[in-house]
Amino acid sequence: MPKTNSPVPPRKTAAQAAARNTDSGPAHLPSDGGADLPAEKMAQVEALVAAMPHNPTKAAEHGFANAIAPQRGTTVKPESRLPGGSTLTEENGSEKTGSVAPEGLNATIEPLDRVRVDSAGRVLTTNQGVAISDNQNSLKAGLRGPALLEDFVLREKLTHFDHERIPERIVHARGSAAHGFFEAYEPLTRFTKAAPFKEAGKITPVFVRFSTVAGERGSKDTARDVRGFAVKFYTDEGNWDLVGNNMPVFFIQDAMKFPDLVHAVKPEPHNAMPQAASAHDTFWDFVSLMPESTHMLMWVMSDRAIPRSYATMQGFGVHSYRFVNEAGESVFVKFHWEPKYGTHSLVWDEAVKISGADPDFHRRDLWERIESGAYPEWELGVQIFTEAQAEEFSFDILDATKIIPEELVPVQKVGRMVLNRNPDNFFAETEQVAFCTAHVVPGIDFSNDPLLAGRIHSYVDTQISRLGGPNFHEIPINAPIAQVHNNQRDGMHRQAIHRGRVSYEPNSLAGGCPFQAGAAQGFVSVAARLQAKEEQAKVRGKPEKFADHYTQATLFYESQTPVEQAHIAAAFRFELSKVTVPAIRERMVASLRNASEALAREVGQGLGMDVLPAALPRALAKPARPEVMMSPKLSLLARPGDGSVQGRKVAVLVAPGVAGESIAQVQAALFAQGAVARLVAPRIGPLPTLEGDTLEADASLENEPGFLFDALVLPDGEQAVAALARNGHTMEFIKDQYRHGKTLLVLGASRALIDQAGVPATLPGGKADPGLLMAEAGKTDGAIEAFIAALAGPRHAERETDPPLV
């Protein structure tokens, strides 16, 4: 649905704003419901439901006569197809999603032609549609060397064979997803032959799933946790899954430790607590004994662990990958997703309160943004560097606990991704989608990162268990748009019906089809990687540079603003205060001393440690001098976004006797900029204005607390202000907005509410508060503009004190 920034008549704004919410609504719909598509759908749904005021067949459910001759159910024909749609975005089709479902048709029972497969004249592919260059040999480290775990062609073939005779994800169980597209800015053929980057303007359908890591499916969205950021590209040469997180590093360096990490961070097995949290003994016991986790702990204790929304967080591929061009030349690459709307987060007090009021906060925000046309958008950035450059870095690029600072290798923007269609069915799409780092296409290859090697194997193995067998690639959301032709057969839930009797290669009975593609068309692994570093012996160990566990943790902490540093210290203090074994706390503080003495001292004091424990011994006594000592881009505040307020939610408090004209002006101005202003009153429903008109409140002080909104408008009108002052929820509303650094617009008589709530007129240092805007009665124009400008910026952290004053 197209976005609009054009002015909207005030009388229509209420209907449009009310239609953009999923958790509350007005007591009565405005008569001008057809202002735009969301409002029209809301009006048609209301009309459809109102047409059936009761169930007329209910009485016919009883008695013998009715039992042997049940009546036909009552139906009402909707005005259009709008009320029956899962999402307003179903018109946004692609090669993958197709178009709108045909009316009154279940396409799954159409003739079996839709699943018949004929491989005549087709090249051999993997189940992801990637052409196979060599079907005779496994990938080995040299002609006589050992077979390699990363040979995803071999493993898919064997694994499918092993399972030819379908539970909740262990991690990333709590997720939300959407359809969209990726658009390349320019050809990247100098570096890669990967399908999405072959030409400027090329469109590739995508499906993106965001998730928390530690919690179960029913857990809260706003937990302090890593967020998954997984993108499935449906390319014309097969599926490519870029499976990453909203943080560029990880806790561990080798996949051997992944089960230990997850067992430690999950609820403790003896009592299944705590849910979706790391603030417990087993997690901190583990990471305090694994100093390579220190860098990641800085990220997880920072504000990045509690994003404001999925649309306002970065994404990273985490590992170093390879770009490969048509000539077989390769370079290293790291992937970055940069949000159009900037990087914004929640503060801890706000996140805790939101989790109680709306555990679906992030899921709801993603859905509502897309339904209302404020489509989330990211730019894809790449850091491209050579093997020679990698050799010169003071850190090892195969170490997943390290970043490459942007000061060393700049991020080049190569395309944009827009999410413009919500799923029609959560289970069929969001729950059944299967991501895997092994799903790559020609032009994308792996590095020797030992954590990545384990993921290449583990993700496929997990999907087989979770989705009921080896044919999970045939579930519609997982199926590629490229043709799939191979000799894999049978297994649970097989959909394809293959023609003929041949299921092997080479063959002559089918004319040799499907035949291997060869190097010119199929996937070929880069022949050599990190030649200067490779050793001939098979060993279990780590390179020496992996032993530098603290340098980049120091870099991250020192690159944060003072406010962000204070949040990191508070997060460590909170998490470690939940630990019941003092020795674990002491060990963790001892580790922090190697990263930042100031941080360790602040955390230790907050935990009652008058004398800090001695610093832990370092695994590498004299690490290499880092190239970058300070990287300002690591701060969330360095990425404000495009300065728009699209998708933001603003609470406008109202009550009987409110000055309605100024409220209408505020709501219309916000809506014209893409923000949604909700009228929040002591109860939902109509209320009279000072001018004699009527406003319709679609949320109440009870069901939509203040911490769910990005900003607050307090009304003019003596009667309305007096009514709000008598309601205890109002003071909580104002205090939470102020404490969480939100922007407040105070109109006329509402100055009394600010005074009653104890909100100071100035900042703690005596300066004017740029997020507290006062407007005299009837003089709103300039104030509204200033309010929108302040709303577009970051939260007003300059108010913060520890503990809070308000």
Side-chain angles (χ1 to χ4, degrees), residues 657-733:
V658 66
E661 184 175 343
S662 59
I663 295 301
Q665 290 173 353
V666 170
Q667 194 173 32
L670 286 167
F671 190 85
Q673 296 298 318
V676 175
R678 303 196 68 178
L679 302 186
V680 184
R683 64 170 178 82
I684 64 170
L687 51 92
T689 68
L690 186 64
E691 297 87 350
D693 296 323
T694 299
L695 289 179
E696 183 82 28
D698 68 335
S700 72
L701 293 167
E702 177 185 39
N703 75 3
E704 294 290 317
F707 46 77
L708 295 177
F709 294 91
D710 295 298
L712 173 63
V713 177
L714 295 174
D716 195 11
E718 297 286 352
Q719 182 183 349
V721 169
L724 291 170
R726 292 192 296 270
N727 191 313
H729 290 306
T730 303
M731 296 304 112
E732 296 173 7
F733 214 109

Side-chain angles (χ1 to χ4, degrees), residues 516-597:
Q516 70 180 33
Q521 189 175 352
F523 181 91
V524 178
S525 295
V526 175
R529 302 199 183 100
L530 285 180
Q531 297 173 9
K533 281 287 186 182
E534 288 189 358
E535 301 173 2
Q536 297 304 309
K538 290 185 287 185
V539 296
R540 291 188 185 274
K542 296 182 179 73
E544 290 182 359
K545 288 182 180 179
F546 276 45
D548 181 4
H549 300 145
Y550 296 107
T551 297
Q552 289 209 349
T554 302
L555 171 66
F556 181 82
Y557 182 74
E558 295 296 335
S559 300
Q560 305 301 297
T561 64
V563 168
E564 290 170 306
Q565 290 180 340
H567 290 176
I568 291 173
F572 272 111
R573 183 183 67 206
F574 173 86
E575 294 267 326
L576 291 171
S577 70
K578 294 285 190 176
V579 172
T580 64
V581 181
I584 295 176
R585 292 193 205 118
E586 293 175 5
R587 187 194 302 142
M588 194 62 238
V589 172
S591 181
L592 289 178
R593 293 191 70 175
N594 289 325
S596 168
E597 189 68 25

Side-chain angles (χ1 to χ4, degrees), residues 160 163-165 470-471 488-494 498:
H160 195 285
H163 294 267
E164 284 183 352
R165 303 291 173 232
N471 292 310
Q488 296 173 21
R489 295 291 187 269
D490 307 336
M492 296 179 70
H493 311 301
R494 189 64 169 177
H498 290 85

Side-chain angles (χ1 to χ4, degrees), residues 17 20 152 187 298 340 355 504 514 538 553 592 686 765 780:
R20 282 160 168 77
F152 62 91
M298 293 293 183
K340 172 185 177 180
S355 70
Y504 53 90
K538 290 185 287 185
L592 289 178
T780 59

